[in-house]
Each structure stands twice: as structure tokens, then as C-alpha cells.
Amino acid sequence: MNRTLLLLAHPALERSRIHRRLIRSLPPLEGLTLHDLYESYPRFDVDVAREQSLLTEHDLILIQHPFYWYSIPPLLKQWQDLVLEHGWAYGSKGTALRGKRLMHIVSTGGPRVAYQREGNNRFSMRELMAPLEQTARLCGMAFLPPYVIHGTHRLTVPEIERECERYRRVINDLCEGRLAPSAELRSATLDDVLSVEGPEARP
Ligand SMILES: Cc1cc2nc3c(=O)[nH]c(=O)nc-3n(C[C@H](O)[C@H](O)[C@H](O)COP(=O)(O)O)c2cc1C
């Protein structure tokens, strides 16, 4: 059983089609702490001590957000800037996060085909997420293949419901340690892992 922290960063959850349904579909799970950053800090006044102790108390960190301008929403950037302090998260004495594992759960308006060299966005998700990966590595965390949900604008309600089922299963399996994708898969997304190993992938 992993002590899992799910950090949600969505600036307008009330208008969300996908993240609101994903979050609402989650049952209470043993060992899982859900923390909604925009609900906690509507004025961006991130409580650094609280965030650092939440991180300290968990082994697996899931960061869930929509993709905004090929990056993260602004409060999540503020959270990174304030919480990942030198001497705490990185630097010779900054060892608080070492050995933890981090996975992003990210949705994009653009379809999967747009996120390749020949596509409209010219880069893969892993290439575009390189700063997030390197941030995790600098802090000594294993950056797991991200869980990416593409083409959100065109997803029908039944398709979103199917995604919610998959999401529930993935979060449950991650929490229980039944799903443990390797950080060595440097260009993979979780989809690649699941399609190779099947949804029952075991460590
Ligand atoms: C300010 C802003 C920037 C966005 N940037 C991107 C982007 O860079 N790439 C992309 O594929 N989608 C982008 N989108 C689309 C969002 O990722 C998409 O609306 C979101 O994943 C849908 O999730 P939701 O229904 O939970 O809000 C952007 C949306 C907004 C509002």
C-alpha cells in the first residue's frame, strides 16, 4: 500500500468536462489523500510548510492538471516555485523528496496525433514535459510515465465515463502497488506501459 498524495490543479473545476468527472468518480481509497490546490489557495497564497509536510508524509505523488500552453496551470507553477525550496527539495542538504515517485495525470485539448514530430504540436508529450521530468530528477524523485488523456474537447460523455473507469482502476492499482511503471521508460506514457503489459500490469 502506497501513501499516495493526489494534487489537483484545475483553475476552473466548475467548468471542467473531464477532471471534475474524474475526481468525482474516485471512491475513498485507503492511503490516498486528495488535495485540491485551487480550492485551498484561491489567492495563490500557498502554505509552504503545509505543502512540504504533505509531501513528506506520502511516497507516491500524483499531480493532476489540464495542459495549459504546453505546460502547467499557474497555481501549480506557484506551488513549485514556493514549495520546492533549495535546501529542502534540492541542493546538497535538500533531500526531503529523495526516493519518492511522481506521476503527472494530464489532459490535452489536442488529439494524440498532434503530439508527434509530424503533428501540429511538433513534439511528443514527453518532450514537452521535459522541464517537469528534470524538476523531479533534480529533487531525487523518479518521474513515472505520465497518464495522458488526449482530445478532451471531442470526448463524448460515454467516452469520458470509460476514461473515468480506467482512471479509477489506475489510481487504485497505483495506490495498492499493483501498477508500478518504471521511471526508466524515458519516452513512454502510461498508455504505452498499459498496452505492452496489459491493464493488469504488475510490478
Ligand atoms: C489557457 C488554456 C491553455 C491551453 N493550452 C493547451 C495546450 O497547450 N495544449 C492542448 O492540447 N490543450 C490546451 N488547452 C486545452 C485544455 O488542456 C483542455 O481544455 C483541458 O484538458 C480540458 O479538461 P477539462 O474539461 O477538465 O477542463 C488549453 C486550455 C486553456 C484554457
PDB file of all heavy atoms in Angstrom, residues 2 59-62 99-106 126 129 132-133 136-137 141-148 174 179-190 193:
ATOM      1  N   ASN A   2       0.715   2.105  -1.016  1.00  0.00           N
ATOM      2  CA  ASN A   2       1.483   3.357  -1.081  1.00  0.00           C
ATOM      3  C   ASN A   2       0.723   4.466  -0.374  1.00  0.00           C
ATOM      4  O   ASN A   2      -0.499   4.568  -0.515  1.00  0.00           O
ATOM      5  CB  ASN A   2       1.663   3.784  -2.543  1.00  0.00           C
ATOM      6  CG  ASN A   2       2.687   2.937  -3.265  1.00  0.00           C
ATOM      7  OD1 ASN A   2       3.813   2.791  -2.802  1.00  0.00           O
ATOM      8  ND2 ASN A   2       2.302   2.375  -4.394  1.00  0.00           N
ATOM      9  N   ASP A  59       4.532   8.782  -0.280  1.00  0.00           N
ATOM     10  CA  ASP A  59       5.639   8.207  -1.078  1.00  0.00           C
ATOM     11  C   ASP A  59       5.407   8.416  -2.570  1.00  0.00           C
ATOM     12  O   ASP A  59       6.349   8.523  -3.347  1.00  0.00           O
ATOM     13  CB  ASP A  59       5.735   6.682  -0.878  1.00  0.00           C
ATOM     14  CG  ASP A  59       5.527   6.287   0.563  1.00  0.00           C
ATOM     15  OD1 ASP A  59       6.276   6.799   1.400  1.00  0.00           O
ATOM     16  OD2 ASP A  59       4.597   5.504   0.844  1.00  0.00           O
ATOM     17  N   LEU A  60       4.127   8.377  -2.957  1.00  0.00           N
ATOM     18  CA  LEU A  60       3.777   8.491  -4.373  1.00  0.00           C
ATOM     19  C   LEU A  60       2.987   9.785  -4.545  1.00  0.00           C
ATOM     20  O   LEU A  60       1.971   9.988  -3.869  1.00  0.00           O
ATOM     21  CB  LEU A  60       2.923   7.280  -4.787  1.00  0.00           C
ATOM     22  CG  LEU A  60       2.348   7.268  -6.187  1.00  0.00           C
ATOM     23  CD1 LEU A  60       3.445   7.252  -7.252  1.00  0.00           C
ATOM     24  CD2 LEU A  60       1.438   6.041  -6.387  1.00  0.00           C
ATOM     25  N   ILE A  61       3.476  10.660  -5.430  1.00  0.00           N
ATOM     26  CA  ILE A  61       2.832  11.955  -5.636  1.00  0.00           C
ATOM     27  C   ILE A  61       2.214  11.959  -7.039  1.00  0.00           C
ATOM     28  O   ILE A  61       2.922  11.772  -8.033  1.00  0.00           O
ATOM     29  CB  ILE A  61       3.860  13.125  -5.543  1.00  0.00           C
ATOM     30  CG1 ILE A  61       4.845  12.948  -4.362  1.00  0.00           C
ATOM     31  CG2 ILE A  61       3.158  14.478  -5.511  1.00  0.00           C
ATOM     32  CD1 ILE A  61       4.240  12.932  -2.995  1.00  0.00           C
ATOM     33  N   LEU A  62       0.903  12.174  -7.097  1.00  0.00           N
ATOM     34  CA  LEU A  62       0.217  12.274  -8.389  1.00  0.00           C
ATOM     35  C   LEU A  62      -0.185  13.734  -8.560  1.00  0.00           C
ATOM     36  O   LEU A  62      -0.790  14.327  -7.657  1.00  0.00           O
ATOM     37  CB  LEU A  62      -1.032  11.386  -8.409  1.00  0.00           C
ATOM     38  CG  LEU A  62      -0.823   9.911  -8.043  1.00  0.00           C
ATOM     39  CD1 LEU A  62      -2.171   9.180  -7.991  1.00  0.00           C
ATOM     40  CD2 LEU A  62       0.117   9.239  -9.033  1.00  0.00           C
ATOM     41  N   GLY A  99      13.821   9.628  -3.443  1.00  0.00           N
ATOM     42  CA  GLY A  99      13.249   8.277  -3.409  1.00  0.00           C
ATOM     43  C   GLY A  99      11.744   8.248  -3.620  1.00  0.00           C
ATOM     44  O   GLY A  99      11.161   7.174  -3.773  1.00  0.00           O
ATOM     45  N   LYS A 100      11.107   9.426  -3.619  1.00  0.00           N
ATOM     46  CA  LYS A 100       9.661   9.427  -3.876  1.00  0.00           C
ATOM     47  C   LYS A 100       9.426   9.276  -5.370  1.00  0.00           C
ATOM     48  O   LYS A 100      10.328   9.467  -6.179  1.00  0.00           O
ATOM     49  CB  LYS A 100       9.028  10.726  -3.353  1.00  0.00           C
ATOM     50  CG  LYS A 100       9.140  10.856  -1.839  1.00  0.00           C
ATOM     51  CD  LYS A 100       8.408  12.059  -1.315  1.00  0.00           C
ATOM     52  CE  LYS A 100       8.697  12.276   0.167  1.00  0.00           C
ATOM     53  NZ  LYS A 100       8.082  11.275   1.046  1.00  0.00           N
ATOM     54  N   ARG A 101       8.173   8.924  -5.720  1.00  0.00           N
ATOM     55  CA  ARG A 101       7.827   8.762  -7.137  1.00  0.00           C
ATOM     56  C   ARG A 101       6.750   9.772  -7.508  1.00  0.00           C
ATOM     57  O   ARG A 101       5.871  10.061  -6.693  1.00  0.00           O
ATOM     58  CB  ARG A 101       7.366   7.325  -7.402  1.00  0.00           C
ATOM     59  CG  ARG A 101       8.536   6.336  -7.281  1.00  0.00           C
ATOM     60  CD  ARG A 101       8.099   4.902  -7.322  1.00  0.00           C
ATOM     61  NE  ARG A 101       7.108   4.658  -6.315  1.00  0.00           N
ATOM     62  CZ  ARG A 101       5.991   3.954  -6.522  1.00  0.00           C
ATOM     63  NH1 ARG A 101       5.737   3.424  -7.689  1.00  0.00           N
ATOM     64  NH2 ARG A 101       5.134   3.775  -5.552  1.00  0.00           N
ATOM     65  N   LEU A 102       6.857  10.296  -8.720  1.00  0.00           N
ATOM     66  CA  LEU A 102       5.944  11.352  -9.161  1.00  0.00           C
ATOM     67  C   LEU A 102       5.331  10.980 -10.502  1.00  0.00           C
ATOM     68  O   LEU A 102       6.040  10.570 -11.426  1.00  0.00           O
ATOM     69  CB  LEU A 102       6.733  12.660  -9.317  1.00  0.00           C
ATOM     70  CG  LEU A 102       5.962  13.831  -9.922  1.00  0.00           C
ATOM     71  CD1 LEU A 102       4.952  14.402  -8.929  1.00  0.00           C
ATOM     72  CD2 LEU A 102       6.917  14.943 -10.346  1.00  0.00           C
ATOM     73  N   MET A 103       4.023  11.128 -10.594  1.00  0.00           N
ATOM     74  CA  MET A 103       3.351  10.909 -11.888  1.00  0.00           C
ATOM     75  C   MET A 103       2.397  12.076 -12.175  1.00  0.00           C
ATOM     76  O   MET A 103       1.614  12.458 -11.300  1.00  0.00           O
ATOM     77  CB  MET A 103       2.558   9.600 -11.893  1.00  0.00           C
ATOM     78  CG  MET A 103       1.840   9.364 -13.230  1.00  0.00           C
ATOM     79  SD  MET A 103       0.716   7.954 -13.217  1.00  0.00           S
ATOM     80  CE  MET A 103       1.869   6.602 -13.314  1.00  0.00           C
ATOM     81  N   HIS A 104       2.476  12.621 -13.388  1.00  0.00           N
ATOM     82  CA  HIS A 104       1.500  13.625 -13.805  1.00  0.00           C
ATOM     83  C   HIS A 104       0.316  12.935 -14.477  1.00  0.00           C
ATOM     84  O   HIS A 104       0.492  11.987 -15.248  1.00  0.00           O
ATOM     85  CB  HIS A 104       2.122  14.610 -14.798  1.00  0.00           C
ATOM     86  CG  HIS A 104       2.977  15.639 -14.136  1.00  0.00           C
ATOM     87  ND1 HIS A 104       2.571  16.940 -13.932  1.00  0.00           N
ATOM     88  CD2 HIS A 104       4.209  15.551 -13.586  1.00  0.00           C
ATOM     89  CE1 HIS A 104       3.517  17.607 -13.313  1.00  0.00           C
ATOM     90  NE2 HIS A 104       4.531  16.793 -13.083  1.00  0.00           N
ATOM     91  N   ILE A 105      -0.866  13.430 -14.176  1.00  0.00           N
ATOM     92  CA  ILE A 105      -2.093  12.988 -14.857  1.00  0.00           C
ATOM     93  C   ILE A 105      -2.584  14.229 -15.590  1.00  0.00           C
ATOM     94  O   ILE A 105      -3.002  15.203 -14.959  1.00  0.00           O
ATOM     95  CB  ILE A 105      -3.135  12.482 -13.844  1.00  0.00           C
ATOM     96  CG1 ILE A 105      -2.553  11.327 -13.028  1.00  0.00           C
ATOM     97  CG2 ILE A 105      -4.428  12.087 -14.562  1.00  0.00           C
ATOM     98  CD1 ILE A 105      -3.425  10.878 -11.864  1.00  0.00           C
ATOM     99  N   VAL A 106      -2.448  14.218 -16.912  1.00  0.00           N
ATOM    100  CA  VAL A 106      -2.621  15.462 -17.657  1.00  0.00           C
ATOM    101  C   VAL A 106      -3.583  15.265 -18.828  1.00  0.00           C
ATOM    102  O   VAL A 106      -3.579  14.208 -19.465  1.00  0.00           O
ATOM    103  CB  VAL A 106      -1.228  15.991 -18.104  1.00  0.00           C
ATOM    104  CG1 VAL A 106      -0.427  14.954 -18.831  1.00  0.00           C
ATOM    105  CG2 VAL A 106      -1.339  17.225 -18.974  1.00  0.00           C
ATOM    106  N   ARG A 126       6.220  13.648 -23.913  1.00  0.00           N
ATOM    107  CA  ARG A 126       7.409  13.505 -23.072  1.00  0.00           C
ATOM    108  C   ARG A 126       8.427  14.602 -23.347  1.00  0.00           C
ATOM    109  O   ARG A 126       9.064  15.115 -22.434  1.00  0.00           O
ATOM    110  CB  ARG A 126       8.053  12.117 -23.259  1.00  0.00           C
ATOM    111  CG  ARG A 126       7.286  10.967 -22.628  1.00  0.00           C
ATOM    112  CD  ARG A 126       7.101  11.128 -21.125  1.00  0.00           C
ATOM    113  NE  ARG A 126       8.309  11.215 -20.342  1.00  0.00           N
ATOM    114  CZ  ARG A 126       8.805  10.235 -19.573  1.00  0.00           C
ATOM    115  NH1 ARG A 126       8.187   9.075 -19.504  1.00  0.00           N
ATOM    116  NH2 ARG A 126       9.884  10.424 -18.860  1.00  0.00           N
ATOM    117  N   MET A 129       7.153  17.716 -21.756  1.00  0.00           N
ATOM    118  CA  MET A 129       7.151  17.630 -20.291  1.00  0.00           C
ATOM    119  C   MET A 129       8.558  17.531 -19.708  1.00  0.00           C
ATOM    120  O   MET A 129       8.713  17.316 -18.503  1.00  0.00           O
ATOM    121  CB  MET A 129       6.279  16.447 -19.839  1.00  0.00           C
ATOM    122  CG  MET A 129       4.802  16.666 -20.151  1.00  0.00           C
ATOM    123  SD  MET A 129       3.759  15.254 -19.723  1.00  0.00           S
ATOM    124  CE  MET A 129       3.541  15.524 -17.960  1.00  0.00           C
ATOM    125  N   LEU A 132       9.339  19.296 -16.432  1.00  0.00           N
ATOM    126  CA  LEU A 132       8.715  18.665 -15.256  1.00  0.00           C
ATOM    127  C   LEU A 132       9.518  17.433 -14.843  1.00  0.00           C
ATOM    128  O   LEU A 132       9.735  17.178 -13.656  1.00  0.00           O
ATOM    129  CB  LEU A 132       7.264  18.272 -15.562  1.00  0.00           C
ATOM    130  CG  LEU A 132       6.350  19.442 -15.957  1.00  0.00           C
ATOM    131  CD1 LEU A 132       5.017  18.932 -16.482  1.00  0.00           C
ATOM    132  CD2 LEU A 132       6.133  20.363 -14.756  1.00  0.00           C
ATOM    133  N   GLU A 133       9.974  16.683 -15.855  1.00  0.00           N
ATOM    134  CA  GLU A 133      10.781  15.496 -15.579  1.00  0.00           C
ATOM    135  C   GLU A 133      12.093  15.897 -14.901  1.00  0.00           C
ATOM    136  O   GLU A 133      12.495  15.309 -13.890  1.00  0.00           O
ATOM    137  CB  GLU A 133      11.074  14.753 -16.891  1.00  0.00           C
ATOM    138  CG  GLU A 133      12.002  13.579 -16.694  1.00  0.00           C
ATOM    139  CD  GLU A 133      12.191  12.749 -17.959  1.00  0.00           C
ATOM    140  OE1 GLU A 133      11.475  12.967 -18.953  1.00  0.00           O
ATOM    141  OE2 GLU A 133      13.073  11.881 -17.932  1.00  0.00           O
ATOM    142  N   ALA A 136      11.645  16.913 -11.293  1.00  0.00           N
ATOM    143  CA  ALA A 136      11.534  15.737 -10.415  1.00  0.00           C
ATOM    144  C   ALA A 136      12.916  15.123 -10.174  1.00  0.00           C
ATOM    145  O   ALA A 136      13.288  14.806  -9.036  1.00  0.00           O
ATOM    146  CB  ALA A 136      10.591  14.707 -11.041  1.00  0.00           C
ATOM    147  N   ARG A 137      13.692  14.976 -11.235  1.00  0.00           N
ATOM    148  CA  ARG A 137      15.023  14.343 -11.108  1.00  0.00           C
ATOM    149  C   ARG A 137      15.949  15.173 -10.234  1.00  0.00           C
ATOM    150  O   ARG A 137      16.696  14.630  -9.416  1.00  0.00           O
ATOM    151  CB  ARG A 137      15.638  14.127 -12.491  1.00  0.00           C
ATOM    152  CG  ARG A 137      14.966  12.998 -13.254  1.00  0.00           C
ATOM    153  CD  ARG A 137      15.489  12.896 -14.652  1.00  0.00           C
ATOM    154  NE  ARG A 137      16.853  12.378 -14.690  1.00  0.00           N
ATOM    155  CZ  ARG A 137      17.162  11.085 -14.706  1.00  0.00           C
ATOM    156  NH1 ARG A 137      16.209  10.187 -14.694  1.00  0.00           N
ATOM    157  NH2 ARG A 137      18.414  10.698 -14.732  1.00  0.00           N
ATOM    158  N   MET A 141      13.451  12.568  -7.290  1.00  0.00           N
ATOM    159  CA  MET A 141      12.234  11.755  -7.433  1.00  0.00           C
ATOM    160  C   MET A 141      12.254  11.003  -8.763  1.00  0.00           C
ATOM    161  O   MET A 141      12.755  11.513  -9.771  1.00  0.00           O
ATOM    162  CB  MET A 141      10.979  12.638  -7.390  1.00  0.00           C
ATOM    163  CG  MET A 141      10.725  13.241  -6.031  1.00  0.00           C
ATOM    164  SD  MET A 141       9.075  13.983  -5.935  1.00  0.00           S
ATOM    165  CE  MET A 141       9.324  15.493  -6.832  1.00  0.00           C
ATOM    166  N   ALA A 142      11.659   9.835  -8.759  1.00  0.00           N
ATOM    167  CA  ALA A 142      11.503   9.065 -10.005  1.00  0.00           C
ATOM    168  C   ALA A 142      10.300   9.637 -10.748  1.00  0.00           C
ATOM    169  O   ALA A 142       9.209   9.756 -10.175  1.00  0.00           O
ATOM    170  CB  ALA A 142      11.275   7.604  -9.672  1.00  0.00           C
ATOM    171  N   PHE A 143      10.501   9.999 -12.002  1.00  0.00           N
ATOM    172  CA  PHE A 143       9.425  10.573 -12.830  1.00  0.00           C
ATOM    173  C   PHE A 143       8.792   9.438 -13.630  1.00  0.00           C
ATOM    174  O   PHE A 143       9.398   8.907 -14.564  1.00  0.00           O
ATOM    175  CB  PHE A 143      10.018  11.634 -13.762  1.00  0.00           C
ATOM    176  CG  PHE A 143       9.006  12.408 -14.547  1.00  0.00           C
ATOM    177  CD1 PHE A 143       8.377  13.525 -14.004  1.00  0.00           C
ATOM    178  CD2 PHE A 143       8.681  12.042 -15.852  1.00  0.00           C
ATOM    179  CE1 PHE A 143       7.446  14.259 -14.737  1.00  0.00           C
ATOM    180  CE2 PHE A 143       7.751  12.768 -16.594  1.00  0.00           C
ATOM    181  CZ  PHE A 143       7.137  13.880 -16.025  1.00  0.00           C
ATOM    182  N   LEU A 144       7.596   9.059 -13.260  1.00  0.00           N
ATOM    183  CA  LEU A 144       6.942   7.908 -13.896  1.00  0.00           C
ATOM    184  C   LEU A 144       6.298   8.336 -15.219  1.00  0.00           C
ATOM    185  O   LEU A 144       5.946   9.505 -15.405  1.00  0.00           O
ATOM    186  CB  LEU A 144       5.873   7.335 -12.964  1.00  0.00           C
ATOM    187  CG  LEU A 144       6.345   6.973 -11.546  1.00  0.00           C
ATOM    188  CD1 LEU A 144       5.208   6.321 -10.772  1.00  0.00           C
ATOM    189  CD2 LEU A 144       7.566   6.079 -11.568  1.00  0.00           C
ATOM    190  N   PRO A 145       6.110   7.398 -16.147  1.00  0.00           N
ATOM    191  CA  PRO A 145       5.436   7.743 -17.404  1.00  0.00           C
ATOM    192  C   PRO A 145       4.085   8.412 -17.112  1.00  0.00           C
ATOM    193  O   PRO A 145       3.289   7.892 -16.327  1.00  0.00           O
ATOM    194  CB  PRO A 145       5.229   6.375 -18.075  1.00  0.00           C
ATOM    195  CG  PRO A 145       6.299   5.516 -17.517  1.00  0.00           C
ATOM    196  CD  PRO A 145       6.498   5.985 -16.089  1.00  0.00           C
ATOM    197  N   PRO A 146       3.837   9.590 -17.696  1.00  0.00           N
ATOM    198  CA  PRO A 146       2.607  10.325 -17.364  1.00  0.00           C
ATOM    199  C   PRO A 146       1.347   9.658 -17.927  1.00  0.00           C
ATOM    200  O   PRO A 146       1.384   9.027 -18.986  1.00  0.00           O
ATOM    201  CB  PRO A 146       2.831  11.693 -18.021  1.00  0.00           C
ATOM    202  CG  PRO A 146       3.831  11.464 -19.095  1.00  0.00           C
ATOM    203  CD  PRO A 146       4.699  10.326 -18.636  1.00  0.00           C
ATOM    204  N   TYR A 147       0.274   9.845 -17.196  1.00  0.00           N
ATOM    205  CA  TYR A 147      -1.051   9.383 -17.637  1.00  0.00           C
ATOM    206  C   TYR A 147      -1.648  10.540 -18.433  1.00  0.00           C
ATOM    207  O   TYR A 147      -1.981  11.574 -17.854  1.00  0.00           O
ATOM    208  CB  TYR A 147      -1.871   9.055 -16.389  1.00  0.00           C
ATOM    209  CG  TYR A 147      -3.302   8.584 -16.591  1.00  0.00           C
ATOM    210  CD1 TYR A 147      -4.003   8.068 -15.511  1.00  0.00           C
ATOM    211  CD2 TYR A 147      -3.967   8.653 -17.809  1.00  0.00           C
ATOM    212  CE1 TYR A 147      -5.315   7.636 -15.636  1.00  0.00           C
ATOM    213  CE2 TYR A 147      -5.277   8.221 -17.949  1.00  0.00           C
ATOM    214  CZ  TYR A 147      -5.949   7.719 -16.861  1.00  0.00           C
ATOM    215  OH  TYR A 147      -7.252   7.299 -16.982  1.00  0.00           O
ATOM    216  N   VAL A 148      -1.759  10.380 -19.752  1.00  0.00           N
ATOM    217  CA  VAL A 148      -2.209  11.481 -20.611  1.00  0.00           C
ATOM    218  C   VAL A 148      -3.583  11.147 -21.211  1.00  0.00           C
ATOM    219  O   VAL A 148      -3.789  10.058 -21.742  1.00  0.00           O
ATOM    220  CB  VAL A 148      -1.212  11.731 -21.765  1.00  0.00           C
ATOM    221  CG1 VAL A 148      -1.642  12.961 -22.574  1.00  0.00           C
ATOM    222  CG2 VAL A 148       0.209  11.913 -21.239  1.00  0.00           C
ATOM    223  N   LEU A 174      -2.298   1.938  -8.561  1.00  0.00           N
ATOM    224  CA  LEU A 174      -1.101   2.673  -8.134  1.00  0.00           C
ATOM    225  C   LEU A 174      -1.033   2.715  -6.607  1.00  0.00           C
ATOM    226  O   LEU A 174       0.016   2.471  -6.009  1.00  0.00           O
ATOM    227  CB  LEU A 174      -1.131   4.109  -8.680  1.00  0.00           C
ATOM    228  CG  LEU A 174      -0.795   4.293 -10.159  1.00  0.00           C
ATOM    229  CD1 LEU A 174      -1.160   5.715 -10.608  1.00  0.00           C
ATOM    230  CD2 LEU A 174       0.675   4.017 -10.442  1.00  0.00           C
ATOM    231  N   LEU A 179       0.261  -1.525  -9.775  1.00  0.00           N
ATOM    232  CA  LEU A 179       0.764  -0.905 -11.001  1.00  0.00           C
ATOM    233  C   LEU A 179       1.955  -0.041 -10.593  1.00  0.00           C
ATOM    234  O   LEU A 179       1.813   0.874  -9.771  1.00  0.00           O
ATOM    235  CB  LEU A 179      -0.341  -0.044 -11.628  1.00  0.00           C
ATOM    236  CG  LEU A 179       0.027   0.757 -12.871  1.00  0.00           C
ATOM    237  CD1 LEU A 179       0.443  -0.168 -14.014  1.00  0.00           C
ATOM    238  CD2 LEU A 179      -1.161   1.608 -13.313  1.00  0.00           C
ATOM    239  N   ALA A 180       3.124  -0.368 -11.141  1.00  0.00           N
ATOM    240  CA  ALA A 180       4.345   0.364 -10.766  1.00  0.00           C
ATOM    241  C   ALA A 180       5.201   0.570 -12.015  1.00  0.00           C
ATOM    242  O   ALA A 180       6.216  -0.090 -12.200  1.00  0.00           O
ATOM    243  CB  ALA A 180       5.102  -0.405  -9.694  1.00  0.00           C
ATOM    244  N   PRO A 181       4.774   1.504 -12.895  1.00  0.00           N
ATOM    245  CA  PRO A 181       5.535   1.705 -14.130  1.00  0.00           C
ATOM    246  C   PRO A 181       6.940   2.211 -13.826  1.00  0.00           C
ATOM    247  O   PRO A 181       7.137   2.963 -12.868  1.00  0.00           O
ATOM    248  CB  PRO A 181       4.720   2.758 -14.890  1.00  0.00           C
ATOM    249  CG  PRO A 181       3.824   3.383 -13.897  1.00  0.00           C
ATOM    250  CD  PRO A 181       3.623   2.415 -12.777  1.00  0.00           C
ATOM    251  N   SER A 182       7.885   1.783 -14.658  1.00  0.00           N
ATOM    252  CA  SER A 182       9.281   2.121 -14.394  1.00  0.00           C
ATOM    253  C   SER A 182       9.624   3.524 -14.886  1.00  0.00           C
ATOM    254  O   SER A 182       9.254   3.918 -15.991  1.00  0.00           O
ATOM    255  CB  SER A 182      10.177   1.102 -15.107  1.00  0.00           C
ATOM    256  OG  SER A 182      11.494   1.585 -15.127  1.00  0.00           O
ATOM    257  N   ALA A 183      10.386   4.241 -14.052  1.00  0.00           N
ATOM    258  CA  ALA A 183      10.866   5.568 -14.440  1.00  0.00           C
ATOM    259  C   ALA A 183      11.937   5.470 -15.516  1.00  0.00           C
ATOM    260  O   ALA A 183      12.323   6.476 -16.110  1.00  0.00           O
ATOM    261  CB  ALA A 183      11.404   6.293 -13.219  1.00  0.00           C
ATOM    262  N   GLU A 184      12.410   4.255 -15.785  1.00  0.00           N
ATOM    263  CA  GLU A 184      13.439   4.081 -16.825  1.00  0.00           C
ATOM    264  C   GLU A 184      12.848   4.210 -18.232  1.00  0.00           C
ATOM    265  O   GLU A 184      13.579   4.332 -19.205  1.00  0.00           O
ATOM    266  CB  GLU A 184      14.109   2.700 -16.701  1.00  0.00           C
ATOM    267  CG  GLU A 184      14.845   2.487 -15.377  1.00  0.00           C
ATOM    268  CD  GLU A 184      15.852   3.596 -15.097  1.00  0.00           C
ATOM    269  OE1 GLU A 184      16.611   3.934 -16.021  1.00  0.00           O
ATOM    270  OE2 GLU A 184      15.841   4.135 -13.980  1.00  0.00           O
ATOM    271  N   LEU A 185      11.525   4.128 -18.330  1.00  0.00           N
ATOM    272  CA  LEU A 185      10.872   4.246 -19.648  1.00  0.00           C
ATOM    273  C   LEU A 185      10.827   5.724 -20.018  1.00  0.00           C
ATOM    274  O   LEU A 185       9.829   6.409 -19.832  1.00  0.00           O
ATOM    275  CB  LEU A 185       9.462   3.647 -19.591  1.00  0.00           C
ATOM    276  CG  LEU A 185       9.411   2.165 -19.210  1.00  0.00           C
ATOM    277  CD1 LEU A 185       7.988   1.745 -18.854  1.00  0.00           C
ATOM    278  CD2 LEU A 185       9.957   1.324 -20.350  1.00  0.00           C
ATOM    279  N   ARG A 186      11.941   6.224 -20.566  1.00  0.00           N
ATOM    280  CA  ARG A 186      12.148   7.668 -20.678  1.00  0.00           C
ATOM    281  C   ARG A 186      11.291   8.352 -21.730  1.00  0.00           C
ATOM    282  O   ARG A 186      11.173   9.573 -21.721  1.00  0.00           O
ATOM    283  CB  ARG A 186      13.628   7.967 -20.946  1.00  0.00           C
ATOM    284  CG  ARG A 186      14.571   7.470 -19.856  1.00  0.00           C
ATOM    285  CD  ARG A 186      14.416   8.270 -18.582  1.00  0.00           C
ATOM    286  NE  ARG A 186      14.648   9.692 -18.775  1.00  0.00           N
ATOM    287  CZ  ARG A 186      15.825  10.254 -18.820  1.00  0.00           C
ATOM    288  NH1 ARG A 186      16.906   9.519 -18.677  1.00  0.00           N
ATOM    289  NH2 ARG A 186      15.950  11.549 -18.988  1.00  0.00           N
ATOM    290  N   SER A 187      10.730   7.571 -22.681  1.00  0.00           N
ATOM    291  CA  SER A 187       9.900   8.263 -23.673  1.00  0.00           C
ATOM    292  C   SER A 187       8.460   7.761 -23.668  1.00  0.00           C
ATOM    293  O   SER A 187       7.685   8.088 -24.568  1.00  0.00           O
ATOM    294  CB  SER A 187      10.512   8.128 -25.070  1.00  0.00           C
ATOM    295  OG  SER A 187      10.687   6.772 -25.362  1.00  0.00           O
ATOM    296  N   ALA A 188       8.112   6.998 -22.643  1.00  0.00           N
ATOM    297  CA  ALA A 188       6.778   6.374 -22.624  1.00  0.00           C
ATOM    298  C   ALA A 188       5.751   7.225 -21.886  1.00  0.00           C
ATOM    299  O   ALA A 188       6.081   8.043 -21.037  1.00  0.00           O
ATOM    300  CB  ALA A 188       6.877   5.009 -21.947  1.00  0.00           C
ATOM    301  N   THR A 189       4.486   7.008 -22.246  1.00  0.00           N
ATOM    302  CA  THR A 189       3.384   7.487 -21.411  1.00  0.00           C
ATOM    303  C   THR A 189       2.758   6.242 -20.777  1.00  0.00           C
ATOM    304  O   THR A 189       3.090   5.108 -21.160  1.00  0.00           O
ATOM    305  CB  THR A 189       2.316   8.225 -22.244  1.00  0.00           C
ATOM    306  OG1 THR A 189       1.741   7.289 -23.163  1.00  0.00           O
ATOM    307  CG2 THR A 189       2.900   9.406 -22.988  1.00  0.00           C
ATOM    308  N   LEU A 190       1.844   6.448 -19.847  1.00  0.00           N
ATOM    309  CA  LEU A 190       1.234   5.298 -19.172  1.00  0.00           C
ATOM    310  C   LEU A 190       0.502   4.393 -20.169  1.00  0.00           C
ATOM    311  O   LEU A 190       0.476   3.176 -20.014  1.00  0.00           O
ATOM    312  CB  LEU A 190       0.276   5.772 -18.081  1.00  0.00           C
ATOM    313  CG  LEU A 190      -0.210   4.671 -17.146  1.00  0.00           C
ATOM    314  CD1 LEU A 190       0.938   4.124 -16.311  1.00  0.00           C
ATOM    315  CD2 LEU A 190      -1.319   5.171 -16.246  1.00  0.00           C
ATOM    316  N   VAL A 193       2.767   1.854 -21.464  1.00  0.00           N
ATOM    317  CA  VAL A 193       3.022   0.818 -20.452  1.00  0.00           C
ATOM    318  C   VAL A 193       1.847  -0.151 -20.404  1.00  0.00           C
ATOM    319  O   VAL A 193       2.023  -1.370 -20.435  1.00  0.00           O
ATOM    320  CB  VAL A 193       3.216   1.464 -19.054  1.00  0.00           C
ATOM    321  CG1 VAL A 193       3.382   0.398 -17.988  1.00  0.00           C
ATOM    322  CG2 VAL A 193       4.385   2.429 -19.061  1.00  0.00           C
TER     323      VAL A 193
END
